[in-house]
Each structure stands twice: as structure tokens, then as C-alpha cells.
Amino acid sequence: MHTHDLSGWEHDHVFNQDQQRAGENRTLLIVAITAVMMIVEIWAGLISGSMALLADGLHMASHTVALGLSVFAYVISRRLASNRHYAFGVGKINSLAGFASAVMLLGFALVMAIESADRLINPVAIAFDQAIGIAVLGLLVNGFSAWVLNSTPHEHAHSHGHHHEHHGHDHNLRAAYLHVLADALTSLLAIVALMAGKYMGASWLDPVMGIVGAALVTRWSYGLIRETGKVLLDNQADEHMLGEMREAIERECSDRVTDLHVWSIGHGIYAAEVAVVSDAPQSPNHYKSLIPKSLNIVHATIEVHQCTSH
């Protein structure tokens, strides 16, 4: 048997996952800021005797853990990028971390709702001046953190086929953004409630705002769980993308796509399986060349069948 050089037909499955993401350093910065704010709030809660501040400090602690998970996901993705045990690379680690983080966020919202309901039934004394000052500081810190994450530049990564990447969702970055946004919302609602309690005697507004905040955080969490869950379960790409791919292959010929699967395998990158029936079959490479580069299909498997019907 002759030995052939197959290097021209082989390719890796790294798909640029070994490159440091734009969101990694920013998320690490936010972890540090959140950790410092957590210590300040817990310390202030203990000194002032404010259970509200202490609870918010512990809430920040849980978010520090969740944000740390996001950083871990970035690092482990780069470390495992060249590991051939992962059929389509490690791009889904990003979505897995986002999913886990969203579930944690949902848990925080549940705890927030239960605690707020308990405080409606059993009101506690609040050290308004200290609590308002720390809440304002928390809002500024979390607002800055949200701005840092939201202003992260989009990436234009290149795959082995030199396709340009869509502005796909970095689920990991979005999860981190939602965590600090939830903290900012909590601080804002706390300021409104504390001001009302101090100047209008409406102490009941504090737990009510907690329930409102929990409802909004639940909605954000649910949206992220659905979005990341679709990626983790290999959900079919949207109809627009499928239609564009089908039209590109069938354009100006009698070839017909009889089976088409396109799914996300990472941050803005996709894999596809296509079955084509043709009167005059071409090579798989011909059909691959017809796929629009803008779709960023980094791994395509093409089946070509001779049409036998008359």
C-alpha cells in the first residue's frame, strides 16, 4: 500500500479557541472589584448592625464565585483548545459556564424573594444613613463594572478556513454582565427603598423592592438559560441561516438539499451536515465552496447522492 501525504486534507478543531478572549481580562478585573465591594459591604453590615447590608454583602460573595466561574471557563477553554478528545473543539465550555452562572443567578433571585417576603412579615430595624451610603457606593461600583463588560469589543476571530466570525454571543461574558447588572439593580432598588424609609417612614418598601428585583433577575436568568441551553443541546440554527445556506447550494442548478443541519459549536462558529441530491454530482469540496463565508461554518460534512429518479 502506498503511503500518501494527507496533510492537505486534514485540519484541527481548535477554531481559534486557544486565543485569549476580549472578555477574559475584563471579567477578571470585575471579579477583583466585586470581591473588594463584597468585603466592604460585609464589614459595613457588621459595624452598622444593618442586616440589609450584610445580606447584600453575602449576595456579592455569591456573585464573586459566579464571576470566578466565568474566568475559569475562559482559561480552561484556552488550555483544552487543542485536546482532540472534543469532537468539535471546546467552544461550548463558554455556553456551559454561562448556563451554570444563570442557574446560580436564578438561585440568588429565589433567596432574595424569600428573604424579602420574610422581612415583610418580620420587619427589621435599618441603619438608614450607613446603608444608603454603602448602597450608593455599590451602585457606582456595579454600574462601572457593567459598563466595562458591556463595552468589551466584538471579536473577529479567524477559523482554519479563514472565515470571519459573526458578532456571536459570548455567553460567558453575558452571564458576567447580568450578574453585575443584577447587583446594580439591587443597589438602585435599595437606595429608593432606604430613602423612602428614612424620609417617608415607608420601611415596607425595602422588602417590596427586593421582590421586584428578584422578579427582574429571574427574567434575565431564564432568558440566558434558554439561550445557552439551545447551544448545549445542539439546537438547529435559525430559518434565515438555513435558508441562506440552502439557497446558496441550490442556486442556478437542479441540485437539491435533502437534509440540512446547522448548529453552534462555540462563540459565533457553526458546524453543518448537508445531504445533496444531484443529476450531475460534484465533489464535496465544490459544495463547501458554495457555503457563504459570512455564515462562519467552520466544519462541514457533505453527502452527495446521484439522483436515480426519472
Side-chain angles (χ1 to χ4, degrees), residues 95 135 139:
S95 294
L139 177 61

Side-chain angles (χ1 to χ4, degrees), residues 85-154:
H85 287 96
Y86 298 92
F88 291 102
V90 294
K92 287 189 179 182
I93 288 179
N94 179 282
S95 294
L96 180 60
F99 182 87
S101 199
V103 171
M104 290 179 69
L105 199 59
L106 199 60
F108 303 151
L110 179 61
V111 171
M112 194 188 308
I114 292 173
E115 187 175 313
S116 297
D118 180 65
R119 288 190 180 185
L120 267 176
I121 300 170
N122 305 299
V124 298
I126 302 173
F128 288 111
D129 291 334
Q130 296 93 325
I132 290 173
I134 296 299
V136 169
L137 178 61
L139 177 61
L140 293 174
V141 168
N142 289 312
F144 171 75
S145 298
W147 175 78
V148 168
L149 293 175
N150 194 46
S151 62
T152 302
H154 290 290

Side-chain angles (χ1 to χ4, degrees), residues 182-197:
D183 278 332
L185 174 67
T186 302
S187 297
L188 180 61
L189 293 178
I191 292 169
V192 172
L194 289 168
M195 294 292 283

